[in-house]
Amino acid sequence: ASYELIDPVPLEGEPEEAWFQTASPDLSHVVFEERAKLTPNAPAGHDFYEWSSGEGVRLVTILPDGQPAVEGTLVYRHGNENNNLEGTSSPTFVHALSADGKRVFFEAEGRLYARENADEEQSGFGPKGECDEAEKACTVQVDASQGSGPGGGGSFMWASADGSKVFFT
């Protein structure tokens, strides 16, 4: 048996407490919240990171343009008067991280996103701002408009274990 520290020494400031959020079933991918700046692209304050076996720690809350979200949050199942769900449930229970660790769902700036291949380097961008390297990290807005409306404002409910399907209101 061996142990590995997944919360590295911060790049700036003092170490803070890391808070476990979710993990893949085999623990090869672990998502945690940390207030300290652990990667060069992390904004000030708290953020969500993914540790991947052999890959180290990467920031999860990256927007589709490759920039970090100023304030993001890992998704939980929301409850309100309209859908009769009480409270929230854990990111593990609702599959905020896919079983293989390749897809992480998060909310930022009033939108719902999926970060794909979060443990890889950021993809380059094509002429329309789309990721052009499928094997690298890319963020997709899940609640983007499919018609003439503005999109955004989606509330995550649940994702399939493999992260290929997501349900939101």
Side-chain angles (χ1 to χ4, degrees):
S2 66
Y3 299 92
E4 184 175 343
L5 178 65
I6 65 171
D7 181 19
V9 174
L11 298 177
E12 299 174 5
E14 296 295 317
E16 296 280 343
E17 290 185 33
W19 294 93
F20 172 82
Q21 296 296 313
T22 188
S24 60
D26 66 358
L27 298 177
S28 64
H29 296 265
V30 177
V31 177
F32 62 95
E33 182 179 7
E34 167 72 76
R35 290 183 184 270
K37 183 175 181 150
L38 301 181
T39 62
N41 62 341
H46 69 89
D47 230 307
F48 293 87
Y49 298 90
E50 179 183 18
W51 170 87
S52 177
S53 180
E55 299 295 326
V57 172
R58 296 201 193 260
L59 184 65
V60 169
T61 50
I62 302 287
L63 298 174
D65 65 2
Q67 297 300 309
V70 174
E71 197 171 305
T73 184
L74 202 64
V75 294
Y76 296 81
R77 185 171 69 198
H78 296 283
N80 62 38
E81 295 173 15
N82 297 329
N83 62 24
N84 297 322
L85 295 172
E86 296 298 325
T88 60
S89 54
S90 79
T92 301
F93 181 69
V94 297
H95 305 294
L97 175 67
S98 62
D100 65 1
K102 295 293 183 186
R103 189 169 287 159
V104 182
F105 294 97
F106 69 95
E107 293 174 354
E109 302 177 2
R111 295 179 178 93
L112 177 60
Y113 297 102
R115 180 78 172 156
E116 300 177 1
N117 300 319
D119 59 341
E120 300 293 333
E121 291 181 33
Q122 175 65 44
S123 170
F125 298 97
K128 296 180 183 176
E130 75 282 2
C131 294
D132 62 359
E133 299 170 274
E135 71 283 356
K136 292 190 176 180
C138 185
T139 301
V140 176
Q141 183 182 341
V142 174
D143 61 355
S145 176
Q146 301 299 307
S148 61
S155 289
F156 178 89
M157 298 302 288
W158 201 284
S160 59
D162 68 358
S164 65
K165 295 176 180 67
V166 60
F167 299 93
F168 61 94
T169 59

